[in-house]
């Protein structure tokens, strides 16, 4: 198969098909900057805790996951009945789509691709709402005006892959506009704990807006993608609607037993915040210094693309680069693919952006890792500059 005929993998963390694409050996050493996981995780106590709870694998989990939900409710300041424990944030996304089967969805794009996949799976009619091309910001008035009655709106905060954050005030305004036209708003907060400087979750708004559905994940903060734990917060009646669509025992015993100790581990969260406060601005400045165009990030990853210099497309408008007809789009994408390949060959796996509406492969997403890994990324970028 020629390189161009090979599909790009749908998610980060999938090195094998990318190594094959560039005819590199399967054991080519790589630092994975494509998956946005906390490099400090999982917390050191996790393996011992898993071993201690493993005898419980011989029984079915308690179907209501009471103690896990109580810990989440305590942390979020909601009632236990407002919490649904899910098999990762991904299951929560699919349960929300299932409960709106056949309806209408509006997705603020570019964003996490599973919202569209879940909506398609349940026959929702999907419309994309493009974020501002220059900085991926969102104007709540303009978005609110385009909400047809009964629409399910999907927002990601902070947004994957743009690393931008819609302000709490903007979400509040949107919730008000949405409520007036009988629309529900899904806000995916999978990365909320990485926001720098830290910002509160939207959970307190659940008391005022029964059209708000909040999705959370334990995957990213605790670096436990194989565990599969997330949760959903909403009004009690909405949670009931999602719960009746969930398969029984959807979350396994080991995962459910880890929830309370994870959310209660304030020391791990404090260490994470300290790493973010030091490393996030340092890497952002380092990336800019290599000549990349960097979308100012509020979280633990960066959306970047080669600067105008290296694209040799000086004079192209931003819109051209975003995917409007014209040569800029194609040339910009070629420069990005060259950078992707160069990084891969020097041992850095970046996240491509093929499949994100409005990005179409013209950008790369890079995760924030620990200091020495981040330095290796910067060195790899600088090497290319001087060659
Ligand atoms: C924005 C967002 N939401 C949800 C998920 C799914 O998380 P989980 O692994 O908990 O299913 C991801 C995973 O990449 C994500 O980026």
């Amino acid at each position: 198969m020629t390189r161009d005929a090979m599909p790009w993998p749908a998610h980060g963390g999938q090195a094998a098909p990318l190594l094959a694409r560039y005819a590199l050996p399967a054991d080519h050493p790589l630092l994975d900057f494509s998956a946005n996981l906390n490099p400090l995780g999982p917390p050191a106590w996790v393996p011992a805790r898993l071993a201690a709870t493993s005898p419980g694998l011989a029984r079915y989990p308690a179907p209501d996951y009471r103690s896990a939900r109580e810990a989440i409710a305590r942390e979020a300041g909601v009632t236990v009945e407002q919490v649904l424990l899910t098999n990762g944030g991904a299951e929560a996304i699919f349960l929300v789509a299932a409960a709106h089967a056949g309806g209408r969805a509006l997705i603020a794009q570019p964003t996490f691709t599973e919202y569209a996949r879940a909506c398609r799976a349940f026959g929702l009619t999907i419309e994309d709402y493009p974020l501002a091309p220059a900085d991926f910001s969102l104007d709540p008035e303009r978005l609110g005006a385009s909400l047809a009655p009964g629409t399910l709106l999907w927002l990601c905060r902070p947004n994957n892959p743009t690393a931008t954050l819609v302000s709490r005030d903007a979400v509040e305004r949107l919730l008000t506009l949405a409520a007036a036209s009988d629309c529900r708003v899904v806000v995916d907060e999978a990365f909320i704990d990485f926001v720098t400087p830290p910002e509160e979750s939207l959970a307190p708004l659940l008391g005022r807006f029964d059209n708000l559905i909040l999705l959370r994940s334990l995957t990213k903060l605790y670096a436990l993608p194989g565990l599969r734990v997330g949760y959903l917060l909403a009004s009690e009646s909405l949670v009931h609607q999602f719960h009746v669509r969930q398969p029984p025992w959807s979350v396994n015993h080991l995962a459910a037993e880890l929830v309370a100790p994870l959310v209660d581990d304030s020391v791990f969260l404090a260490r994470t915040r300290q790493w973010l406060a030091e490393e996030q601005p340092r890497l952002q400045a380092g990336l800019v210094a290599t000549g990349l165009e960097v979308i100012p990030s509020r979280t633990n990853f960066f959306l970047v693309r080669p600067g105008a210099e290296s694209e040799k497309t000086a004079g192209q408008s931003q819109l051209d680069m975003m995917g409007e007809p014209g040569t800029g789009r194609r040339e910009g994408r070629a420069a990005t693919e060259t950078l992707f390949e160069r990084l891969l060959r020097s041992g850095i796996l970046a996240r491509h952006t093929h499949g994100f509406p409005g990005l179409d492969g013209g950008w790369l997403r890079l995760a924030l890792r620990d200091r020495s890994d981040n330095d290796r990324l910067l060195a790899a970028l600088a090497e290319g500059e001087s060659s």
Side-chain angles (χ1 to χ4, degrees):
M1 201 189 288
T2 64
R3 183 184 293 178
D4 286 345
M6 289 180 167
W8 290 88
H11 292 286
Q14 293 179 279
L18 293 164
L19 291 172
R21 181 182 186 91
Y22 293 98
L24 287 164
D27 60 354
H28 181 70
L30 277 180
L31 278 179
D32 187 357
F33 281 82
S34 74
N36 302 324
L37 300 173
N38 184 350
L40 307 188
W45 51 264
V46 164
R49 191 71 173 231
L50 287 173
T53 49
S54 65
L57 287 170
R59 295 183 296 276
Y60 278 97
D64 65 354
Y65 301 110
R66 185 91 196 171
S67 63
R69 287 166 58 230
E70 277 173 355
I72 293 165
R74 245 191 337 268
E75 199 255 343
V78 298
T79 66
V80 182
E81 287 69 30
Q82 286 183 279
V83 182
L84 183 67
L85 196 67
T86 58
N87 190 289
E91 188 191 30
I93 292 167
F94 275 70
L95 289 174
V96 172
H100 295 85
R104 192 189 137 89
L106 186 65
I107 305 178
Q109 294 279 16
T111 195
F112 187 47
T113 51
E114 293 299 323
Y115 312 141
R117 204 166 75 88
C119 288
R120 278 197 299 276
F122 292 98
L124 282 91
T125 306
I126 306 172
E127 208 182 305
D128 284 348
Y129 175 86
L131 297 171
D135 59 1
F136 303 108
S137 61
L138 180 153
D139 175 353
E141 303 300 330
R142 197 164 68 86
L143 174 50
S146 56
L147 275 175
T151 301
L152 180 68
L153 170 65
W154 294 83
L155 289 183
C156 187
R157 180 181 186 268
N159 188 32
N160 177 12
T162 61
T164 49
L165 186 84
V166 182
S167 73
R168 185 189 150 120
D169 286 352
V171 177
E172 249 186 276
R173 178 68 186 138
L174 256 178
L175 284 164
T176 304
L177 294 169
S181 43
D182 201 22
C183 296
R184 290 184 184 145
V185 182
V186 186
V187 184
D188 184 347
E189 293 192 329
F191 292 97
I192 192 75
D193 293 306
F194 295 113
V195 171
T196 47
E199 200 160 300
E200 241 187 295
S201 151
L202 296 178
L205 294 183
L206 287 164
R208 287 175 38 217
F209 293 96
D210 61 7
N211 60 338
L212 171 62
I213 301 161
L214 276 185
L215 311 185
R216 305 288 303 270
S217 166
L218 274 61
T219 297
K220 314 290 180 181
L221 176 62
Y222 302 106
L224 289 166
L227 193 68
R228 315 301 311 134
V229 204
Y231 55 92
L232 179 157
L233 305 174
S235 71
E236 294 183 10
S237 79
L238 273 182
V239 164
H240 178 72
Q241 288 184 40
F242 304 132
H243 184 215
V244 294
R245 290 170 169 84
Q246 188 179 38
W249 311 293
S250 191
V251 179
N252 73 74
H253 163 76
L254 296 178
E257 291 294 312
L258 270 194
V259 170
L262 285 173
V263 301
D264 289 344
D265 189 346
S266 54
V267 174
F268 181 76
L269 183 60
R271 277 183 52 225
T272 299
R273 293 228 156 111
Q274 194 183 340
W275 155 73
L276 280 162
E278 288 163 12
E279 232 8 57
Q280 207 267 10
R282 195 183 76 89
L283 183 57
Q284 177 147 301
L287 292 171
V288 170
T290 66
L292 290 174
E293 180 185 344
V294 183
I295 297 297
S297 165
R298 289 294 312 276
T299 186
N300 64 324
F301 52 87
F302 300 88
L303 189 68
V304 305
R305 65 180 174 184
E309 278 285 283
S310 53
E311 286 165 15
K312 300 194 177 39
T313 54
Q316 290 291 335
S317 74
Q318 179 80 22
L319 210 60
D320 234 7
M321 302 305 298
M322 276 294 294
E324 289 299 296
T327 54
R329 176 187 178 188
R330 206 171 37 247
E331 287 174 26
R333 195 163 57 205
T336 303
E337 277 180 27
T338 303
L339 175 62
F340 179 88
E341 179 176 355
R342 185 164 69 66
L343 287 174
L344 192 72
R345 291 189 186 281
S346 52
I348 303 284
L349 179 61
R351 171 70 163 95
H352 70 83
T353 56
H354 292 277
F356 288 106
L359 301 185
D360 305 312
W363 298 76
L364 297 177
R365 195 189 68 198
L366 296 166
L368 183 70
R369 295 182 52 115
D370 65 23
R371 192 179 180 99
S372 75
D373 289 353
N374 296 335
D375 282 342
R376 283 181 60 188
L377 168 65
L378 292 174
L381 287 164
E383 249 171 56
E385 268 205 318
S386 56
S387 63

